[in-house]
Amino acid sequence: MNSAASIEQQVRSHYPHALSETAFRDRVFQFLDKEHCGNVSRVLLAIAQCADDVNAVHDADVTLVKRHFRGNLLGPFEMGGLAGIPYAGLTGISTIAHHIPDGGSALIVYGPHIYGPHIGITDQGDLGKLLRPGQHLESAACGSLTLAVRHLGSSPDYQPRDDEDDAEQMLLERRLLPYRDEILSAAHPLKAATNVAYTLIHELIHRYLRARKDEFRCESLVLAGGVAINTDARHADYVDLRHLSTLRLAEI
Ligand SMILES: [Zn+2]
């Protein structure tokens, strides 16, 4: 068994339906292509993903994706920060609405090089950490969600601080707080927190779109969301694709 097959099996033991990055990208862009009759030259890409540099690989991917569409895809507009929460909020969605080219549309992707959270995996199949380039010891991924789970478990009375100097982490923890028991009682608390974060991000994006839908001049958007599973630099990443749809703004 070669190492690539092995990491795929490790990923699938946690996420049975995970797609390779390439398969994921093909799935999303075939869908986008169909929705736009092969003309994506007026589609603005907007993403909500964790600020973690392990996802910076995504920037190269965006370039590849752009090249695949002959450099026609616009953006990306970055909505996210720690753990992929779309901190840009209502103003971010309004800005996307106003940046879409005339007669164009948007692809909003959350998580795996799209919209949503991410989680690391080691060659041994340990979830929640990975070996980063230039390091010899594994470290946490998502570090932000790992810290949040640690804080939630530190005391039954834990309350995130109101701290402008740590605003994203504290807001993430505030949003996770109602799910504290669900997360801490799970067999794998970080995996549970990642799932909760995905649902939160998905709901936030939809809530912001409902609130600001009148500012869009296009009729529909394509949304793609899921959880990114980061491996070390020797392997491609994987994506647990959880949402891919066309959203008709008049119907939300
Ligand atoms: Zn992260």
Side-chain angles (χ1 to χ4, degrees):
M1 189 164 58
N2 63 35
S3 66
S6 169
I7 191 72
E8 183 168 329
Q9 286 178 347
Q10 301 286 17
V11 169
R12 295 247 160 83
S13 72
H14 296 286
Y15 297 96
H17 305 295
L19 300 171
S20 69
E21 263 184 310
T22 309
F24 159 74
R25 216 160 37 214
D26 288 349
R27 180 85 63 87
V28 170
F29 282 90
Q30 278 167 13
F31 185 86
L32 190 66
D33 221 21
K34 184 163 64 75
E35 289 298 300
H36 292 272
C37 304
N39 178 13
V40 296
S41 63
R42 293 180 177 275
V43 174
L44 176 67
L45 176 63
I47 58 178
Q49 67 169 16
C50 185
D52 189 331
D53 49 281
V54 76
N55 292 318
V57 175
H58 175 49
D59 291 339
D61 291 345
V62 169
T63 308
L64 279 174
V65 164
K66 280 184 160 186
R67 222 176 279 151
H68 178 63
F69 285 90
R70 295 187 175 81
N72 285 334
L73 203 64
L74 303 171
F77 182 94
E78 305 260 8
M79 294 198 65
L82 296 179
I85 301 292
Y87 299 96
L90 292 169
T91 299
I93 287 289
S94 288
T95 307
I96 291 167
H98 295 289
H99 290 184
I100 292 174
D102 299 343
S105 182
L107 165 66
I108 300 180
V109 285
Y110 39 107
H113 315 323
I114 50 172
Y115 71 115
H118 69 121
I119 191 165
I121 189 168
T122 66
D123 278 7
Q124 289 70 43
D126 293 335
L127 212 50
K129 48 190 182 175
L130 58 80
L131 188 63
R132 294 171 187 275
Q135 296 190 339
H136 70 284
L137 292 176
E138 292 157 348
S139 60
C142 174
S144 172
L145 279 172
T146 301
L147 182 63
V149 169
R150 195 185 310 149
H151 284 163
L152 292 177
S154 65
S155 154
D157 304 321
Y158 175 73
Q159 289 292 328
R161 302 183 314 276
D162 186 9
D163 185 347
E164 290 184 1
D165 290 337
D166 204 7
E168 290 192 3
Q169 184 67 24
M170 293 302 114
L171 179 55
L172 168 69
E173 294 181 4
R174 219 168 290 138
R175 292 202 190 279
L176 292 177
L177 204 51
Y179 306 93
R180 179 182 183 278
D181 292 345
E182 176 185 332
I183 291 168
L184 295 180
S185 65
H188 196 301
L190 180 63
K191 186 180 181 186
T194 306
N195 287 335
V196 169
Y198 168 77
T199 304
L200 287 170
I201 294 164
H202 180 82
E203 290 174 354
L204 285 169
I205 297 263
H206 282 77
R207 193 168 95 200
Y208 298 157
L209 285 168
R210 271 195 301 278
R212 296 292 163 92
K213 65 177 182 178
D214 292 342
E215 296 184 32
F216 285 82
R217 286 171 295 165
C218 55
E219 291 179 0
S220 62
L221 309 166
V222 171
L223 298 182
V227 174
I229 303 136
N230 306 119
T231 63
D232 73 31
R234 291 172 301 137
H235 311 296
D237 285 347
Y238 288 79
V239 176
D240 194 36
L241 180 62
R242 299 188 179 185
H243 185 88
L244 181 58
S245 77
T246 295
L247 189 71
R248 312 274 168 214
L249 289 164
E251 296 169 6
I252 62 172

